[in-house]
């Protein structure tokens, strides 16, 4: 039996299948960290990964959960360290992944007495966590740890264990058959939930009646790729993926038209406009303006989160269940369609869109590298089993528009929270989880300056552990918070305010070289292919410093009247970058229009793949 509460907790965490934790030390969690260190020396504990900041640790735990399907675990000290975890834990909450945070606290006698670094952590974490409890006695530790892990797994949410400093060092105790004492289990609850037969039959009736079926697939369908493709085969459906579901459906499926919305494709939007049946699979896609009009189509939703059923579109059948298990039960009820014309049209339209994306990537701008070209050339060279992370902002636009993930590849980002700087800790967590696979982090310079640059130090510390040391960071170096700049124009009709938007220019490649990594400076479009080839030839860390234009417009598939009018108003006023923004926008739209004309000639008629 474990000697102390800390030893017991570490043993119990291992029983829950955890082998790695991401943490940052401090006196509030000192006794627990001390035991972690002792067991690590003996090879009997948990692998402890220490990045440069607690926020990074929380994002790494979230990313670990996303990439592996396991519970991610992060550890931090009391008040300040615990507070730093919150952003990463909200990422877990909003993207529905299980994470357990273990945070220190001052001794029991200090609670409520306003001593240094003593705060009400249960209240602090009450909104972000599905379960948060302070362990106040050795007998209670078992039930709290088990409940935190079981609840995080079952509800796909973060949970928090608060561990006072004195309790950490107390003698462990086996819970007995006593009043108020819980003897708990470390067995997880099964989440392979299947809806009732009558609910499945109701959903099948809706789907079978449709002639233009579209599947909107999210990250909640991960692990059910084959079932999703079989449903599409039987129904003649087109497939649209939410951004976090990008890697759920292989990119070489011809009727997979990639994403929807501002960073989506026109064929995906066309599907939403014209489908008569919509099936939402493991997605909480939040942008209702891109979904079908009310009354246009019948809809079915499958999701393991019951509170998210029927909240985005007026669905007729809501199936509470795991997507894979539910489709296994649903598929025998689905009739085989003989007319696959809708699916063929979707595939043909997407071919036209891909030609348009290539044309936009080949545009040369006068004021810097085309960021689309950087991502296009990456996509052309993605090795098998690659893992790609993207940051929030225009990086996510280029990732969505140009990166195509084949079966076996993975990609992810901070989804509903859309937090800046997540790409770097995500990439690091992916490398720890899959040390034999190449990892590519794509990130903007603003996000990289937040905390991303610090994590090159973490890379330096741990790179020798990995059999495949290939880790590539591509920094979109435009000295601008570009997404916000464009949002100011397109959403609010405001000119760019350089006092808030400018990012101080830094030699990112030089910083990487200072740490012993390879730096590649990409200053011209025709250097993009070679930059990636250099990186993929190098068995080590490479930073590509891509000097891209700050004015490349992240064009949506359909330019709305509001988008157009707001942009024109902003650029007609005192926008200090208006000349460059107008020139680069004209170049991009011109290339798009020319390719659209070619597509129409190629297809002998209207091409539904083209931007409106």
């Amino acid at each position: 039996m474990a000697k102390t509460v800390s030893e017991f907790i570490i043993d119990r965490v291992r029983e829950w299948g955890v082998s790695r934790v991401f943490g940052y030390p401090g006196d509030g969690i000192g006794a627990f960290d001390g035991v972690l260190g002792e067991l690590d020396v003996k090879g009997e504990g948990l692998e402890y990964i220490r990045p440069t900041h607690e926020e990074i640790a929380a994002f790494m735990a979230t990313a670990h959960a996303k990439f592996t399907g396991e519970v991610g675990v992060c550890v931090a000290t009391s008040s300040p360290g615990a507070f730093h975890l919150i952003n990463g834990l909200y990422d877990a909450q909003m993207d529905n992944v299980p994470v357990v945070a273990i945070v220190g606290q001052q001794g029991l006698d200090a609670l409520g007495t306003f001593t240094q670094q003593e705060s009400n952590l249960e209240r602090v974490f009450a909104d972000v966590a599905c379960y948060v409890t302070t362990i106040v006695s050795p007998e209670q530790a078992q039930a709290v740890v088990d409940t935190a892990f079981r609840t995080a797994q079952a509800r796909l949410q973060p949970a928090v264990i608060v561990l006072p400093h004195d309790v950490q060092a107390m003698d462990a105790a086996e819970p007995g058959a006593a009043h108020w004492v819980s003897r708990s289990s470390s067995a997880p609850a099964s989440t392979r939930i299947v809806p009732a037969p009558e609910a499945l039959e109701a959903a099948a009736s809706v789907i079978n009646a449709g002639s233009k079926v579209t599947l909107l697939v999210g990250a909640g369908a991960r692990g059910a790729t084959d079932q999703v493709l079989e449903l599409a085969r039987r129904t003649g459906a087109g497939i649209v993926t939410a951004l976090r579901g990008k890697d759920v459906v292989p990119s070489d499926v011809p009727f997979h038209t990639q994403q929807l919305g501002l960073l989506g494709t026109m064929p995906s939007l066309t599907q939403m406009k014209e489908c008569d049946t919509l099936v939402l699979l493991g997605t909480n896609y939040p942008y209702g303006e891109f979904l079908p009009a009310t009354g246009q189509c019948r809809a079915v939703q499958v999701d393991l989160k019951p509170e998210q059923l029927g909240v985005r579109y007026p669905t007729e059948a809501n199936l509470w269940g795991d997507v894979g298990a539910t489709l296994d039960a649903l598929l025998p009820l689905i009739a085989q369609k003989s007319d696959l014309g809708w699916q063929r049209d979707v595939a043909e339209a997407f071919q036209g869109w891909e030609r348009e994306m290539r044309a936009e990537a080949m545009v040369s701008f006068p004021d810097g590298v085309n960021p689309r070209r950087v991502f296009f050339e990456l996509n052309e060279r993605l090795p098998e089993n690659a893992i790609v992370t993207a940051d929030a902002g225009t990086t996510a636009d280029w990732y969505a528009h140009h990166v195509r993930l084949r079966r076996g590849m993975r990609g992810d980002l901070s989804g509903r929270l859309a937090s800046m700087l997540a790409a770097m800790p995500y990439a690091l967590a992916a490398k720890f989880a899959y040390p034999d696979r190449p990892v590519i982090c794509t990130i903007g310079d603003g996000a990289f300056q937040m905390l991303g640059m610090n994590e090159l130090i973490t890379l330096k510390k741990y790179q020798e552990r990995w059999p495949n040391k290939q880790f590539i960071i591509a920094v979109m170096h435009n000295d601008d918070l570009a997404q916000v700049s464009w949002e100011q124009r397109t959403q609010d009709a405001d000119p760019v305010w350089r006092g808030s938007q400018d990012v101080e220019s830094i030699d990112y490649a030089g910083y990487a070289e200072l740490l012993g990594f390879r730096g590649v400076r990409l200053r011209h479009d025709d250097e993009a292919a070679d930059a990636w080839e250099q990186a993929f030839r190098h068995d080590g860390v490479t930073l590509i410093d891509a000097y891209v234009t700050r004015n490349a417009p992240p064009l949506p598939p359909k330019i709305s009247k509001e988008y157009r009018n707001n942009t024109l108003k902003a650029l007609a006023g005192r926008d200090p970058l208006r000349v460059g923004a107008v020139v680069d926008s004209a170049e991009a739209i011109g290339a798009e229009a020319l390719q659209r004309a070619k597509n129409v000639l190629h297809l002998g008629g209207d091409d539904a793949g083209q931007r409106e």
Side-chain angles (χ1 to χ4, degrees):
M1 180 179 171
K3 297 178 182 178
T4 66
V5 170
S6 291
E7 286 180 90
F8 168 78
I9 291 173
I10 291 166
D11 286 345
R12 201 67 166 185
V13 167
R14 293 179 68 187
E15 283 187 46
W16 278 96
V18 176
S19 59
R20 178 181 302 116
V21 300
F22 306 94
Y24 204 92
D27 63 342
I29 196 70
F32 181 82
D33 280 347
V35 175
L36 272 175
E38 290 176 14
L39 294 177
D40 181 60
V41 170
K42 297 176 183 178
E44 300 173 357
L46 298 162
E47 182 183 19
Y48 181 84
I49 305 299
R50 201 215 76 188
T52 63
H53 196 283
E54 292 94 349
E55 184 172 354
I56 297 294
F59 273 117
M60 291 177 79
T62 297
H64 178 89
K66 287 181 176 181
F67 284 121
T68 67
E70 302 169 357
V71 178
V73 178
C74 51
V75 181
T77 189
S78 51
S79 297
F83 300 157
H84 284 160
L85 296 176
I86 288 176
N87 197 38
L89 294 181
Y90 268 110
D91 192 39
Q93 183 209 65
M94 297 177 76
D95 279 351
N96 301 321
V97 293
V99 170
V100 172
I102 301 172
V103 299
Q105 175 62 289
Q106 301 308 299
L108 292 174
D109 291 343
L111 298 184
T113 66
F114 314 107
T115 194
Q116 185 182 38
Q117 292 193 349
E118 182 270 323
S119 55
N120 189 332
L121 293 178
E122 290 192 8
R123 183 180 296 174
V124 168
F125 288 107
D127 182 66
V128 72
C130 62
Y131 175 82
V132 52
T133 294
T134 302
I135 296 176
V136 297
S137 73
E139 289 81 5
Q140 183 200 16
Q142 183 185 89
V144 172
V145 172
D146 289 342
T147 304
F149 276 87
R150 188 162 33 248
T151 305
Q153 278 190 333
R155 296 190 180 178
L156 300 175
Q157 294 283 275
V160 177
I161 298 168
V162 181
L163 190 55
H165 190 275
D166 50 354
V167 176
Q168 296 167 30
M170 288 180 181
D171 291 339
E174 183 73 28
H179 192 54
W180 292 332
V181 176
S182 292
R183 291 166 289 163
S184 62
S185 162
S186 60
S190 173
T191 57
R192 196 166 169 79
I193 298 170
V194 180
E198 58 270 23
L200 293 167
E201 290 169 3
S205 175
V206 172
I207 295 170
N208 287 332
S211 60
K212 295 181 177 180
V213 180
T214 287
L215 312 182
L216 179 53
V217 181
R222 185 161 287 116
T225 298
D226 291 336
Q227 294 97 317
V228 170
L229 293 178
E230 179 60 18
L231 179 62
R233 186 187 69 80
R234 294 192 188 189
T235 60
I239 300 177
V240 176
T241 47
L243 189 56
R244 287 204 58 240
K246 188 178 184 71
D247 62 356
V248 174
V249 179
S251 62
D252 54 5
V253 172
F255 44 86
H256 171 203
T257 61
Q258 297 290 318
Q259 282 71 70
L260 178 68
L262 291 174
L263 41 63
T265 74
M266 193 63 205
S268 292
L269 184 58
T270 299
Q271 284 198 66
M272 291 297 154
K273 287 182 176 181
E274 298 181 1
C275 68
D276 62 18
T277 308
L278 178 63
V279 183
L280 299 99
L281 299 171
T283 181
N284 186 30
Y285 181 79
Y287 303 109
E289 67 269 31
F290 297 104
L291 295 176
T294 301
Q296 171 193 313
C297 68
R298 305 177 73 185
V300 171
Q301 186 171 0
V302 183
D303 208 290
L304 196 53
K305 301 284 290 182
E307 66 274 19
Q308 294 179 5
L309 290 167
V311 299
R312 299 302 183 202
Y313 192 80
T315 46
E316 289 185 48
N318 288 315
L319 303 182
W320 178 19
D322 169 74
V323 172
T326 299
L327 289 183
D328 284 341
L330 181 64
L331 282 167
L333 306 177
I334 300 299
Q336 177 64 58
K337 292 278 195 306
S338 57
D339 182 1
L340 302 181
W342 166 252
Q343 194 175 75
R344 286 194 297 269
D345 290 345
V346 165
E348 191 173 66
F350 189 65
Q351 291 176 12
W353 176 264
E354 289 292 76
R355 289 190 291 271
E356 183 177 323
M357 287 295 95
R358 188 185 192 283
E360 289 195 32
M362 294 301 140
V363 172
S364 291
F365 297 120
D367 47 3
V369 173
N370 183 348
R372 291 180 179 273
R373 181 69 175 269
V374 180
F375 281 77
F376 175 85
E377 299 294 356
L378 164 63
N379 186 63
E380 292 288 292
R381 291 159 181 80
L382 272 180
E384 297 300 322
N385 294 320
I387 302 173
V388 185
T389 67
D391 215 84
T394 53
T395 310
D397 290 88
W398 319 136
Y399 166 78
H401 283 164
H402 296 283
V403 172
R404 303 291 178 250
L405 300 172
R406 303 185 297 277
R407 189 183 282 266
M409 296 179 177
R410 294 297 306 274
D412 220 325
L413 74 172
S414 173
R416 195 155 61 96
L417 183 64
S419 177
M420 289 176 67
L421 75 79
M424 223 13 215
Y426 271 42
L428 279 163
K431 194 65 175 180
F432 280 110
Y434 303 102
D436 57 343
R437 297 174 67 169
V439 173
I440 302 100
C441 168
T442 63
I443 190 167
D445 52 1
F448 197 57
Q449 285 192 14
M450 276 186 166
L451 288 173
M453 291 179 67
N454 291 1
E455 291 317 294
L456 290 183
I457 300 170
T458 305
L459 269 174
K460 179 74 172 177
K461 180 179 180 180
Y462 292 105
Q463 64 173 332
E464 293 305 318
R465 296 191 181 190
W466 304 320
N468 178 334
K469 297 177 176 56
Q470 196 166 80
F471 192 107
I472 304 169
I473 309 109
V475 180
M476 300 298 105
H477 186 167
N478 57 12
D479 304 331
D480 184 40
L481 301 177
Q483 183 76 5
V484 181
S485 292
W486 280 102
E487 286 172 343
Q488 286 180 340
R489 295 169 177 137
T490 62
Q491 295 181 10
D492 302 311
D494 287 333
V496 166
W497 174 33
R498 298 193 66 167
S500 71
Q501 297 308 105
D502 282 3
V503 174
E504 184 67 22
S505 189
I506 291 174
D507 182 3
Y508 301 107
Y511 181 63
E513 290 165 345
L514 183 67
L515 291 168
F517 302 142
R518 173 169 292 186
V520 177
R521 293 164 180 82
L522 170 53
R523 297 181 185 275
H524 304 286
D525 291 308
D526 58 7
E527 297 171 348
D530 183 64
W532 286 112
E533 288 176 6
Q534 286 187 57
F536 284 123
R537 284 195 302 265
H538 179 51
D539 184 27
V541 178
T542 303
L543 187 145
I544 298 175
D545 192 351
Y547 288 79
V548 298
T549 174
R550 70 194 298 170
N551 296 312
L555 295 171
K558 181 180 175 61
I559 297 176
S560 68
K561 185 180 296 185
E562 180 185 23
Y563 183 105
R564 181 195 65 204
N565 291 345
N566 284 346
T567 305
L568 291 174
K569 182 178 177 181
L571 295 178
R574 50 186 174 81
D575 193 307
L577 304 172
R578 60 185 177 276
V579 174
V582 169
V583 170
D584 287 7
S585 297
E587 292 281 357
I589 293 171
E592 165 195 304
L594 178 59
Q595 184 59 52
R596 182 183 310 131
K598 291 179 179 178
N599 282 338
V600 171
L601 291 173
H602 174 77
L603 296 172
D606 291 339
D607 183 357
Q610 300 315 300
R611 198 190 309 273
E612 291 183 359

